[in-house]
Amino acid sequence: MTEVLNIISKYAIPLILLVIPVYALAKGVKVYSVFTEGAKEGLKVSAMIVPYLVCMLCAIGMFRASGAMDWLTNIINPITSLIGLPGEILPMGIMRSFSGGGAEGMMSDLLTMYGTQSQIGRIASVALGSTETTFYVIAVYFGAVGITNVRHSVIAGLLGDLASLIASAVIVNAMWF
Amino acid sequence: MMNFIWVGLVAIAVIAGTVTGNIAAVQEALFSFAGTAVEIVIGLVGVMVFFTGLMSVMEKAGLCEKLGKAISPVMRLLFPDVPKDHPAMSSMALYFAANILGIGNAATPFGLKAMADLQTLNKTKHIATDAQCMILAISTTSITLIPVTVLALRSAVQVEGAAEVVGPVILATTISTVVGVGVTLLLNKSKKYKLENVIERERAAGTLTINEDYIGNDPIKL
């Protein structure tokens, strides 16, 4: 299992890099100009992240420096360690359901604090990448057509988020720790 | 919600910092993390720009349509209430394909179109149908193959090993999607959330509104 996942991590992007441009060229797409034109969008997305990241990283950084983060993790560690999840990640895991930018800020904080290849850094990365911001998605898509009674959507979304958090811890621990 | 979380974080930090005598460190954290945040963004711009460029090549090459066709058998299983030739089927297939390929922002218009197409099959104006709940469950649990933002954030801190999480992310997101879809299928039929029961409850409460744009052959009469 670990081997398969490692192979996917190693070759997924190179494969995409080979297949897409070649296929597009064969289809007559002007690859270079389409690429550079589309890449401008990435600049916009990056610029949009700035306020969220500054806002969240400063708040989290202060929260950590004050010692309050240690209290919080001391309280939740005994519970989350049952599934092999370091308590440091739980705040980000909860934030994930509410705000994508907020969760990205919290993950950046974890990555700078503990390193990208630490247990915490890896679990946080997998957890952030494996789900979407439930409440944002519900607000945008149901809001657009005027749905106000969302039935069981919130439950399904949040259980999916919880599953992604647990799965991230289990997978990362099985692969590296 | 975010207002309370953010103000709570800052207020607790200041109060706890004063109590523990760490208030100088709290202040320093503000200044140093403001800088760190910008450094991280500068570090991620390159990766972000590269991948959005690649995504637009993918889109132009018609890979969305191709993938959409490939997943249509699964779609019929997940959306039994949507007629095979209804426009919602193709707009949903496009939306999922765009999501799988990771065309984040470009996927949103497809999703909105799919939702609007599904609304024509909704007897009520404001209660989500089974199909609408299903498309939501699939999008909130994410089906993206390459987590571009995560890779960009990781490489901003350290390039080495930035992509090592791609395989684990694909497995974890598959698990979360299976859970989200499973819960949706299960609760579709539960007493509390079954569409007919929800409609009856709203009718009894007098809050039910009929969708005039419903195109099916089984409209509700108030």
Side-chain angles (χ1 to χ4, degrees):
Chain A
M1 196 64 192
T2 304
E3 209 128 305
V4 176
L5 294 183
N6 275 330
I7 290 172
I8 294 175
S9 301
K10 206 168 170 186
Y11 292 107
I13 294 172
L15 187 73
I16 288 176
L17 283 180
L18 181 68
V19 171
I20 292 168
V22 172
Y23 178 83
L25 199 64
K27 282 268 158 182
V29 177
K30 292 195 178 72
V31 177
Y32 186 72
S33 56
V34 168
F35 189 108
T36 45
E37 192 53 43
K40 286 177 190 159
E41 185 67 24
L43 218 50
K44 250 188 265 165
V45 175
S46 308
M48 262 170 49
I49 298 177
V50 178
Y52 295 97
L53 218 53
V54 170
C55 200
M56 208 58 217
L57 259 182
C58 288
I60 281 290
M62 292 194 290
F63 190 73
R64 183 187 297 290
S66 72
M69 183 67 99
D70 293 333
W71 300 343
L72 186 65
T73 44
N74 280 341
I75 298 169
I76 55 186
N77 238 330
I79 308 160
T80 57
S81 64
L82 291 175
I83 51 161
L85 183 77
E88 285 83 351
I89 298 170
L90 195 63
M92 188 213 85
I94 295 169
M95 178 64 83
R96 188 73 191 96
S97 308
F98 296 96
S99 157
E104 281 157 20
M106 286 174 133
M107 188 189 79
S108 306
D109 166 63
L110 292 174
L111 291 181
T112 23
M113 276 308 287
Y114 300 99
T116 55
Q117 296 189 301
S118 64
Q119 185 193 21
I120 291 176
R122 280 167 169 158
I123 298 178
S125 306
V126 177
L128 187 76
S130 59
T131 181
E132 278 287 334
T133 316
T134 298
F135 286 100
Y136 172 79
V137 173
I138 289 179
V140 169
Y141 290 103
F142 278 164
V145 288
I147 299 280
T148 48
N149 187 336
V150 302
R151 291 169 66 209
H152 45 299
S153 292
V154 172
I155 300 176
L158 291 182
L159 285 177
D161 291 347
L162 181 66
S164 111
L165 196 60
I166 296 172
S168 307
V170 172
I171 295 166
V172 168
N173 287 331
M175 282 181 75
W176 286 293
F177 301 99
Chain B
M1 187 72 205
M2 280 305 289
N3 299 320
F4 288 105
I5 294 176
W6 194 81
V7 174
L9 280 175
V10 174
I12 292 171
V14 172
I15 294 166
T18 313
V19 173
T20 56
N22 288 341
I23 193 67
V26 170
Q27 208 178 144
E28 280 159 23
L30 165 64
F31 293 117
S32 82
F33 272 92
T36 309
V38 176
E39 277 166 32
I40 287 175
V41 173
I42 289 171
L44 70 75
V45 175
V47 176
M48 220 57 183
V49 166
F50 185 90
F51 275 94
T52 39
L54 190 67
M55 300 304 173
S56 58
V57 172
M58 197 144 68
E59 212 183 347
K60 268 273 164 15
L63 277 167
C64 266
E65 285 79 3
K66 240 193 157 94
L67 190 59
K69 273 208 192 84
I71 56 173
S72 64
V74 186
M75 303 272 302
R76 251 165 272 150
L77 261 170
L78 289 174
F79 300 94
D81 303 339
V82 182
K84 218 173 90 179
D85 47 1
H86 191 272
M89 268 302 182
S90 53
S91 55
M92 285 194 297
L94 263 180
Y95 173 59
F96 291 141
N99 264 304
I100 292 171
L101 297 174
I103 314 177
N105 287 356
T108 309
F110 291 141
L112 294 176
K113 170 85 170 37
M115 213 32 125
D117 287 341
L118 285 178
Q119 186 65 8
T120 64
L121 297 170
N122 194 345
K123 294 175 197 175
T124 74
K125 234 183 166 59
H126 60 104
I127 304 174
T129 61
D130 285 0
Q132 287 174 322
C133 288
M134 182 57 75
I135 192 173
L136 239 285
I138 296 170
S139 6
T140 61
T141 53
S142 163
I143 43 173
T144 303
L145 288 182
I146 307 292
V148 174
T149 311
V150 169
L151 295 184
L153 284 169
R154 283 176 67 82
S155 64
V157 177
Q158 184 189 323
V159 170
E160 194 202 334
E164 69 187 10
V165 294
V166 171
V169 165
I170 292 175
L171 180 58
T173 194
T174 307
I175 294 171
S176 75
T177 304
V178 168
V179 169
V181 168
V183 168
T184 304
L185 286 175
L186 219 66
L187 292 183
N188 269 347
K189 306 217 160 50
S190 74
K191 212 171 147 216
K192 182 161 181 216
Y193 292 109
K194 196 172 176 186
L195 186 56
E196 287 79 15
N197 299 353
V198 176
I199 290 176
E200 277 320 305
R201 245 180 288 136
E202 292 241 357
R203 191 203 292 270
T207 50
L208 188 68
T209 40
I210 304 286
N211 179 14
E212 294 91 9
D213 304 322
Y214 175 63
I215 56 156
N217 40 23
D218 182 27
I220 328 175
K221 289 179 190 74
L222 276 182

